[in-house]
Amino acid sequence: MRNTSLTESLRQYDLDFEAPVVIPEASLPSRLLIMACSATKAPGEGLTARQRYVGPLWQTLKAVDPDETMAAVAYLSARFGLGDARSPLPDYNNLLSRHGADLMIERGLAGYYPYSKPTFRTERGRLAHLAGRGPLQTGGNEICRMRRDAGRPFKSVAVCGGKDYVRVAKALLAEMRDEGLIEAYAPVTIINDQIGYMRSQLRTWLESEA
């Protein structure tokens, strides 16, 4: 049975599986790359996730695919969950722990981000937090929009990041496959090694169908 919240996301983005199939003009590649966030971030306002992250793997991505034509890129963040790398992303500093990865897997594609469980001493403090939090998003909404822009389910996937990020991504990919957001037999490439090898493997995957 589909998660109700995720099903509503599919309907919102014209992915109602009971409706007639309408294939829009594609504006994204049909390959999906899920990149772990980087500890090194560019400062400033109004940056997209692709601009915000400036760690070594993201540098390789930008050098190999400067025109964003080789893959549709999603980020995986401890604070902001799964998101479209074309979307704006505030500056932040959160590390993904093993416990945090477990929570992300439990929450799945329908979980809201940015995720926090703050406690407040006063109602005024709670309202101030809500006012400054910004809009919430779900990984389901983000990936549905990317699938819509690709014009078809993603035909292959790569996951690039540390072991906990890979663990979360695998769980989310299982949901995506169940929902038809990636093809049933789409190959999944896992890039998880020493940083130098990861940069080389990322380049190889990006260029494999260029």
Side-chain angles (χ1 to χ4, degrees), residues 80-165:
F80 291 97
L82 181 70
D84 187 341
R86 301 172 297 173
S87 300
L89 190 73
D91 198 2
Y92 70 100
N93 186 22
N94 284 78
L95 297 176
L96 181 64
S97 64
R98 181 175 181 81
H99 176 65
D102 291 340
L103 287 176
M104 292 183 75
I105 292 171
E106 180 181 342
R107 291 165 59 77
L109 287 176
Y112 284 98
Y113 291 89
Y115 176 66
S116 62
K117 296 180 69 174
T119 57
F120 307 101
R121 294 183 178 180
T122 66
E123 178 67 7
R124 182 177 180 180
R126 186 183 75 84
L127 294 175
H129 167 77
L130 293 175
R133 183 179 60 184
L136 297 178
Q137 68 183 37
T138 71
N141 277 358
E142 293 285 292
I143 203 67
C144 286
R145 177 160 58 89
M146 294 178 70
R147 183 262 185 233
R148 179 202 63 192
D149 291 347
R152 54 170 290 175
F154 291 106
K155 65 180 184 180
S156 65
V157 182
V159 177
C160 185
K163 62 179 181 180
D164 282 323
Y165 287 98

